[in-house]
Amino acid sequence: MPVRQFGNAEKADYLDGLNPEQKEAVLALDGPLLVLAGAGTGKTRVLTCRLAHILTTGRAYPSQILSVTFTNKAAREMRHRVGKLLGEQVEGLPWLGTFHSIAAKILRIHAELVGLKSGFTILDTDDQIRLLKQVIKAADIDEKRWTARYLVALIDSWKNKGLTPEKINSKQSYKFADGKGAELYKTYQERLRVLNACDFGDLLLHNLTLFTENPEILTKYHQKFRYLLVDEYQDTNVCQYLWLRLLAQGSENICVVGDDDQSIYGWRGAEVDNILRFEKDFPGAKVVKLERNYRSTEHILGAASGLIASNQDRLGKTLWTEDEGGHKVSVTGVWDAPAEARIISGEIENWRSQNRPYNDVAILVRASRQMRSFEERFIQLGLPYRVIGGPRFFERAEIRDAHAYLRVLKSDTDDLAFERIVNTPKRGIGATTIQKLQTAARSMGISLEATTRELTKTDEIRGKARTALRAFILDIDRWRQEARDIRHTEMAEKILDESGYTQMWRDSKDAKSAGRLENLKELIQAMDEFETLDAYLEHVSLVLDVDRGPQEDEISLMTLHSAKGLEFPLVFLPGWEEGVFPSQKSMDENGLAGLEEERRLAYVGITRAREKAKIYFAANRQVYGSWQSSVPSRFIDELPVQHVEAESEQSQQHGSAVARQIASDFSSSFERAKSDRDSPGWQRYQANKNKNFGRAPKEIEGHAIRRPAKKPTSAFKVGDRIFHQKFGYGRIASADGNKLMVAFEKAGEKKVLDGFVERA
């Protein structure tokens, strides 16, 4: 039976507006393809046109295409664009979504094979912490010293690497409670199965178990998916990488789109190596580079491209644009953070005086603590601003409480939801009673709700607590019965009213109570967009990017990490000093890998700008209450001179090396910092400049797939006479990369690293 064609393959109007490289990426439908898409080069357009082309040419049904994104917003946009390109509503595309949503869908189909039921609950971080507190307490571990929040992060990092409890080695296990990490991880996983629940990390981890232990299931999906499309491939972690590798073993028609120069999420498990080794993973893969930028001016792209060229681990590309000239990237030295905020505020006021909106402006900082001086200045001047990355709607306490009631309605094994609401609002059920229920539940191996039903029939719980628990169970039973006959939005309102939860906030004297009640009303409206309660709760569990509503005209203030994917006509980049940016912590903990990720972050920051990018550094900065002198970031020296102009409060000039320009022109900042050889800033700068950021080849821990290690080379060759501080003089007998076998005159034959020898 032929596959239905959508639209008209002969007309294919969507191909007309593509540049040659974009078109090449869209038409290359056979075999593995890596689309190396630089910032602002139209990668989303390529992905959607490619998906449309597969459908138009009849290569696959919508249900035979697996298309993976990182955010729900990106998935929605892709679905909308494909329909628009084809001029008709595309039915299906059921496998277009985020990693987590697709993995959850697969897991619900085969849940029994990993010890779950199809109606399992997906826990958020708040639920994870509460469950792990119970696990830590049951293991008699000091929770103040070894916190549940830390264990959540640790387990999440293991799951991001695809590691089950059995694969945790002793070294990893010692990261928590003197070697008890793996044991607690195992107990946590067992508790999740009893609760018929999993966390976000489990969605993909259980998929790996499902595919590796049930080859026939994997074969089924090999036969199902004719094409795989993956967005933002540079941001995948090890678990996501392994999941994709398994699915791609069927049809090798896998297309990944990404930019190794924009891999900035190593701190949360992303592996830039995944995109760097794509050609080794898929021999014969086609590589298409998208280098024509449609966002920024020539000088902005030139500055960003020159900066990122200092990175060693990259596939290499150079952005260009037909938008020649424009404003050069400016670098300004200031005395301290308040001066930085004052000057930038003045620039913004000047921008606004030219009838340009505040929405055009973004301030991108390396660390959130840098925001304070800007906020104080904006409040003083009355400048409107928003901080991107604050608390989201679904993370508010009142929304979490309402969701807990709805989760209990749907599941009698959701202990975390039950525990959250059993005494909210206050019913006279104290901590001692709840602890007694938890202990009994663990002992009997049943849920808290089931335990409550049993214990309230006996005298083990007495008085007001027993009466309240009985009444609460009766309420739950009644709500479940009524939920069969009325719409879920009406049921939610009924539960919030009858439980006393809405009245609790009406009676509260808290100034935020009115806002909380409004949020509950908004919640009901949000639920109305979904046909069923199950669909709504699934959405809440998986949503990663809750969209803000229409905004007023405001300056955007955010971290560089939050800025990825955004663009603004005017971008300010403050705090470019050694130790601040690049981050001292990142360099200390990760060496060269950390430094290169910091440089990629700088590249991302500059390429957010469409018209103007302005960099600032301060000669003095207050860090945790104490003032420190500092010197400009090495990234400033790495900016190409022809694309940069140096500025100060007094003047502006063009010319030679950027940092030297500023030093000679700006006597009150860089000159003073640099001349003070005893200053902590200068010492940090020199220490990092001289540091050997060597990096050992990494492996994918606990898995058969190994990273093809880059073999280091040496400047020395066989026969060279060298000197070693410990072994003295000798001559190189053989060399294996940077490992040298040396015949020393007094010490005999020794194997040494070339970094420890010098030419004699």
Side-chain angles (χ1 to χ4, degrees):
M1 178 178 175
V3 174
R4 180 202 164 185
Q5 296 183 4
F6 292 77
N8 190 322
E10 292 182 4
K11 291 185 178 180
D13 295 339
Y14 53 82
L15 297 175
D16 295 342
L18 301 177
N19 66 39
E21 293 75 25
Q22 290 174 331
K23 192 171 184 178
E24 182 183 8
V26 168
L27 297 179
L29 297 184
D30 297 318
L33 171 69
L34 167 60
V35 180
L36 202 58
T41 57
K43 73 175 180 64
T44 303
R45 186 176 187 183
V46 167
L47 268 175
T48 51
C49 287
R50 181 180 173 86
L51 208 162
H53 192 60
I54 292 170
L55 295 172
T56 301
T57 55
R59 289 292 193 101
Y61 289 112
S63 62
Q64 294 174 319
I65 303 172
L66 174 63
S67 187
V68 188
T69 67
F70 267 85
T71 67
N72 289 292
K73 181 179 179 181
R76 288 195 301 271
E77 183 179 356
M78 190 177 298
R79 192 183 301 274
H80 173 73
R81 286 199 188 189
V82 170
K84 196 172 180 181
L85 287 175
L86 297 178
E88 60 178 300
Q89 183 65 38
V90 180
E91 296 179 7
L93 289 177
W95 299 99
L96 191 163
T98 64
F99 278 97
H100 289 115
S101 65
I102 292 171
K105 187 172 184 176
I106 291 173
L107 192 57
R108 291 203 186 278
I109 298 171
H110 310 286
E112 289 79 7
L113 294 175
V114 294
L116 296 171
K117 298 174 184 176
S118 61
F120 60 80
T121 301
I122 304 172
L123 306 186
D124 60 17
T125 303
D126 186 62
D127 288 333
Q128 286 179 269
I129 289 172
R130 288 195 290 132
L131 180 56
L132 281 171
K133 280 183 178 179
Q134 297 172 18
V135 171
I136 292 169
K137 189 171 184 178
D140 198 25
I141 293 171
D142 183 2
E143 206 273 327
K144 290 183 179 179
R145 181 183 177 191
W146 302 100
T147 67
R149 188 172 294 276
Y150 174 62
L151 186 54
V152 163
L154 193 57
I155 290 176
D156 187 54
S157 72
W158 289 335
K159 291 183 177 181
N160 284 342
K161 294 175 182 176
L163 300 176
T164 56
E166 298 74 29
K167 292 181 179 178
I168 302 299
N169 60 41
S170 58
K171 182 179 178 182
Q172 294 167 321
S173 188
Y174 262 89
K175 291 180 179 180
F176 194 87
D178 300 322
K180 296 181 180 177
E183 179 186 336
L184 293 172
Y185 180 14
K186 182 179 180 181
T187 302
Y188 170 64
Q189 293 300 100
E190 290 170 351
R191 286 291 296 148
L192 285 174
R193 282 189 170 84
V194 170
L195 299 175
N196 192 36
C198 64
D199 57 32
F200 274 91
D202 283 324
L203 296 175
L204 282 156
L205 192 64
H206 285 327
N207 268 229
L208 291 185
T209 302
L210 176 69
F211 291 155
T212 54
E213 294 184 359
N214 302 275
E216 70 283 0
I217 300 295
L218 181 58
T219 300
K220 172 186 172 182
Y221 287 99
H222 285 166
Q223 295 167 348
K224 183 175 189 62
F225 299 131
R226 292 190 179 186
Y227 287 91
L228 283 74
L229 285 78
V230 187
D231 192 14
E232 303 285 9
Y233 190 64
Q234 79 282 347
D235 291 335
T236 54
N237 59 38
V238 171
C239 194
Q240 291 162 339
Y241 163 79
L242 294 170
W243 183 77
L244 287 168
R245 275 289 302 264
L246 286 169
L247 288 172
Q249 287 171 359
S251 164
E252 288 212 339
N253 294 329
I254 179 172
C255 168
V256 303
V257 180
D259 183 3
D260 53 324
D261 291 335
Q262 294 190 75
S263 179
I264 60 173
Y265 298 120
W267 50 276
R268 70 182 189 196
E271 279 283 351
V272 67
D273 297 315
N274 293 346
I275 193 169
L276 296 178
R277 65 166 162 248
F278 184 82
E279 291 177 86
K280 293 184 174 68
D281 288 341
F282 298 95
K286 185 180 183 67
V287 179
V288 177
K289 295 183 180 181
L290 304 183
E291 297 173 302
R292 180 178 176 181
N293 179 280
Y294 294 92
R295 175 192 299 159
S296 306
T297 63
E298 177 186 19
H299 285 308
I300 290 172
L301 296 180
S305 295
L307 171 66
I308 200 63
S310 295
N311 270 9
Q312 297 175 21
D313 276 354
R314 62 188 297 259
L315 297 172
K317 63 185 175 307
T318 302
L319 299 180
W320 64 276
T321 179
E322 291 185 346
D323 184 9
E324 297 181 354
H327 297 275
K328 290 187 176 184
V329 174
S330 70
V331 179
T332 303
V334 299
W335 179 246
D336 57 16
E340 188 177 58
R342 173 172 50 79
I343 294 169
I344 289 176
S345 297
E347 291 266 15
I348 294 172
E349 288 182 309
N350 182 56
W351 177 269
R352 188 69 184 89
S353 70
Q354 299 171 34
N355 294 319
R356 300 297 297 269
Y358 291 121
N359 278 335
D360 282 357
V361 182
I363 301 174
L364 313 181
V365 298
R366 175 61 183 86
S368 58
R369 67 175 182 269
Q370 295 171 250
M371 294 182 184
R372 183 179 60 84
S373 58
F374 292 102
E375 294 196 54
E376 288 179 354
R377 184 68 181 173
F378 292 162
I379 291 169
Q380 181 183 356
L381 296 176
L383 295 180
Y385 73 96
R386 66 174 72 90
V387 176
I388 307 297
R392 300 178 180 181
F393 178 80
F394 290 108
E395 295 170 347
R396 298 178 184 274
E398 65 273 18
I399 304 302
R400 286 185 180 277
D401 290 341
H403 285 164
Y405 272 103
L406 298 174
R407 283 164 48 184
V408 166
L409 183 71
K410 296 301 298 181
S411 172
D412 61 1
T413 60
D414 195 335
D415 281 12
L416 298 171
F418 185 93
E419 181 188 344
R420 184 180 185 102
I421 62 172
V422 69
N423 199 40
T424 306
K426 300 292 184 183
R427 298 186 174 91
I429 303 167
T432 302
T433 300
I434 293 173
Q435 186 176 354
K436 186 176 291 185
L437 290 172
Q438 290 172 343
T439 302
R442 285 195 296 269
S443 175
M444 294 187 285
I446 58 178
S447 69
L448 276 178
E449 183 182 322
T451 303
T452 301
R453 293 178 185 275
E454 292 299 319
L455 264 60
T456 51
K457 297 175 184 177
T458 70
D459 290 332
E460 292 188 53
I461 296 177
R462 301 181 181 182
K464 186 179 179 180
R466 180 165 65 177
T467 303
L469 285 171
R470 283 176 173 173
F472 185 56
I473 291 296
L474 287 173
D475 284 341
I476 292 174
D477 290 340
R478 186 180 72 258
W479 292 332
R480 285 175 181 160
Q481 181 67 32
E482 293 175 351
R484 299 173 184 174
D485 304 316
I486 62 177
R487 184 165 168 76
H488 60 288
T489 50
E490 183 183 345
M491 193 67 233
E493 288 181 292
K494 186 179 181 67
I495 291 172
L496 293 174
D497 285 336
E498 293 183 358
S499 66
Y501 189 79
T502 305
Q503 192 62 43
M504 177 186 76
W505 291 119
R506 288 195 186 115
D507 296 339
S508 174
K509 304 301 180 184
D510 189 336
K512 297 181 180 179
S513 295
R516 294 184 190 277
L517 289 168
E518 289 298 318
N519 287 337
L520 292 173
K521 292 177 183 176
E522 183 65 24
L523 170 66
I524 303 301
Q525 292 182 24
M527 291 176 63
D528 198 41
E529 297 177 11
F530 296 83
E531 286 298 316
T532 65
L533 179 56
D534 284 336
Y536 171 73
L537 290 176
E538 180 86 348
H539 167 75
V540 170
S541 297
L542 298 172
V543 70
L544 299 178
D545 53 348
V546 180
D547 295 335
R548 291 165 60 94
Q551 299 299 301
E552 297 178 4
D553 190 22
E554 296 173 324
I555 304 158
S556 294
L557 179 58
M558 70 192 87
T559 65
L560 284 157
H561 284 102
S562 299
K564 188 168 178 291
L566 304 178
E567 57 182 72
F568 303 88
L570 173 59
V571 170
F572 294 97
L573 299 161
W576 281 43
E577 300 120 36
E578 282 295 309
V580 177
F581 191 39
S583 160
Q584 190 67 41
K585 180 181 178 184
S586 182
M587 291 188 291
D588 288 344
E589 291 181 354
N590 301 300
L592 179 60
L595 175 60
E596 294 204 345
E597 181 156 316
E598 291 289 299
R599 190 176 284 111
R600 292 194 292 269
L601 197 55
Y603 171 86
V604 166
I606 294 173
T607 55
R608 298 312 92 196
R610 294 208 300 262
E611 300 174 29
K612 293 183 178 181
K614 292 178 171 288
I615 296 168
Y616 295 80
F617 71 88
N620 303 279
R621 193 168 293 275
Q622 197 170 23
V623 180
Y624 303 120
S626 62
W627 285 95
Q628 295 183 2
S629 60
S630 57
V631 293
S633 167
R634 71 188 67 203
F635 298 157
I636 292 176
D637 274 330
E638 293 170 358
L639 295 170
V641 172
Q642 65 271 29
H643 297 296
V644 179
E645 61 185 8
E647 296 183 2
S648 72
E649 293 182 68
Q650 293 81 22
S651 63
Q652 172 180 306
Q653 57 177 304
H654 310 261
S656 60
V658 177
R660 286 197 197 91
Q661 283 183 321
I662 300 170
S664 61
D665 182 60
F666 198 92
S667 60
S668 65
S669 61
F670 188 24
E671 185 70 22
R672 291 186 184 181
K674 200 166 183 178
S675 65
D676 183 2
R677 303 289 168 161
D678 294 326
S679 73
W682 179 254
Q683 290 174 357
R684 285 195 305 274
Y685 177 75
Q686 289 290 26
N688 286 324
K689 279 285 190 181
N690 298 327
K691 187 179 291 184
N692 177 16
F693 280 125
R695 176 176 8 175
K698 289 194 297 183
E699 295 183 337
I700 300 181
E701 301 167 274
H703 303 285
I705 300 173
R706 293 287 183 259
R707 170 190 175 184
K710 287 186 177 180
K711 193 165 186 175
T713 58
S714 176
F716 296 94
K717 61 181 185 297
V718 174
D720 285 352
R721 191 166 186 267
I722 56 88
F723 175 78
H724 188 280
Q725 192 68 38
K726 180 178 180 181
F727 302 125
Y729 291 96
R731 199 168 294 277
I732 298 174
S734 63
D736 180 14
N738 64 339
K739 300 182 183 68
L740 309 176
M741 182 62 74
V742 181
F744 288 101
E745 295 171 2
K746 294 183 178 180
E749 206 169 60
K750 304 283 185 183
K751 182 177 283 189
V752 297
L753 294 174
D754 63 0
F756 292 90
V757 303
E758 56 188 53
R759 296 185 188 279

